[in-house]
Amino acid sequence: TTFHHSVDSAESSDVHVAMYDVYADATLQMRRVHLKRFSLGNSAANWSYVFQTLTNGHDSLRVRISRDGSRIVAVLHNNATNKEEVKVFTPGSSLPIREFLVDVGSPFRAIDLSSDGTKLYVAGSIRIAVADTNSGATLFSGIIFSTLYNGHAISGDGSYFAYGTSGQVVVYKRSPTTGQYALHYTHALAGQNLCDRIDISDDNSTLACAFNFTDNNLSATIRALDLPTGNLLMSDTAQKRDIGDPRT
């Protein structure tokens, strides 16, 4: 029996991965995490990797692939250290080319990999971090003094990242001269809502975000922003009746 599945596929090559956990032994107390790489037309895995770290059954395990499939990045929370174990692979081998730790102070809630595979974004319950997958160095680490939801994204080359919170999306930009990330702008939407879906285009041009309203109307607003400037490109709101009421 397998649990907590995470899967991903490359956009422009035949590289597909699955990460999951299984019972470690007959006691059914601990879980062991597996990572497998697949290709089309082959039901068996091209290769498999088994993590040394056992888990207590938590769901903080994810895998992501760069757009061209040249880099596979797997992240697993270690209960003993309370840190995230990151392992970087190429599609041709089950031996990690790099291993490092990221500290977000809790089991991670979300990750995102830049489409070029060079930057990894990791979000915990109160802390977010960005790591360089080439060196393993943490490029940014900060405590967020607002509620984090499910909206997290990093741009194609890792020069921007964004997260959603109550009523707004927050965008950070990396300085091309100092290499430091700093607050770039926030985009707010009035009303009782939370931003819990974000995506950024590979070319760093556009950010899309979704705001779920928690009032009686239960509407959702989708917005697109010009990523460098924050200018609003489009906005569309779907009411509850538009989504599920057959009488409209």
Side-chain angles (χ1 to χ4, degrees):
T1 304
T2 62
F3 306 91
H4 300 128
H5 305 89
S6 175
V7 299
D8 201 12
S9 292
E11 292 285 344
S12 58
S13 63
D14 183 20
V15 182
H16 317 272
V17 288
M19 187 177 181
Y20 57 87
D21 61 359
V22 300
Y23 289 125
D25 55 41
T27 66
L28 308 184
Q29 298 298 311
M30 304 298 289
R31 306 273 182 88
R32 188 174 297 281
V33 177
H34 294 250
L35 174 68
K36 294 188 176 184
R37 187 258 171 162
F38 295 90
S39 58
L40 283 172
N42 185 5
S43 60
N46 298 94
W47 53 253
S48 300
Y49 178 83
V50 180
F51 284 75
Q52 295 292 319
T53 299
L54 299 180
T55 79
N56 61 0
H58 64 67
D59 63 353
S60 292
L61 54 98
R62 301 286 189 281
V63 62
R64 294 291 180 266
I65 305 180
S66 62
R67 185 178 182 85
D68 64 1
S70 64
R71 185 159 297 185
I72 299 166
V73 180
V75 185
L76 173 66
H77 180 70
N78 186 316
N79 298 98
T81 64
N82 200 34
K83 295 181 180 179
E84 316 316 306
E85 295 183 3
V86 181
K87 297 184 187 291
V88 183
F89 303 82
T90 63
S93 174
S94 62
L95 295 177
I97 61 171
R98 195 159 297 104
E99 302 178 55
F100 56 91
L101 300 176
V102 174
D103 185 3
V104 290
S106 66
F108 74 85
R109 299 180 59 180
I111 70 167
D112 197 19
L113 182 68
S114 61
S115 61
D116 65 4
T118 64
K119 307 295 186 302
L120 175 68
Y121 172 95
V122 184
S125 57
I126 61 171
R127 182 185 292 274
I128 58 177
V130 178
D132 189 316
T133 62
N134 290 317
S135 65
T138 297
L139 304 176
F140 175 86
S141 179
I143 295 176
I144 308 303
F145 294 98
S146 56
T147 303
L148 292 174
Y149 298 102
N150 295 320
H152 302 273
I154 193 166
S155 64
D157 62 359
S159 57
Y160 295 87
F161 70 79
Y163 63 86
T165 185
S166 298
Q168 64 180 1
V169 56
V170 181
V171 179
Y172 277 68
K173 181 181 180 181
R174 190 182 189 202
S175 168
T177 54
T178 67
Q180 301 296 310
Y181 286 91
L183 178 64
H184 190 40
Y185 61 82
T186 61
H187 176 82
L189 181 62
Q192 301 175 40
N193 67 80
L194 52 94
C195 178
D196 68 348
R197 293 293 188 275
I198 301 174
D199 202 5
I200 297 175
S201 62
D202 288 349
D203 64 0
N204 299 343
S205 67
T206 310
L207 180 149
C209 50
F211 297 83
N212 281 334
F213 279 79
T214 58
D215 55 19
N216 290 333
N217 292 325
L218 297 178
S219 61
T221 296
I222 310 297
R223 287 192 164 183
L225 309 177
D226 180 80
L227 182 61
T229 66
N231 292 334
L232 181 65
L233 301 177
M234 65 81 68
S235 182
D236 182 67
T237 298
Q239 300 292 336
K240 180 181 178 182
R241 64 176 181 273
D242 299 328
I243 300 171
D245 191 337
R247 296 170 297 176
T248 61

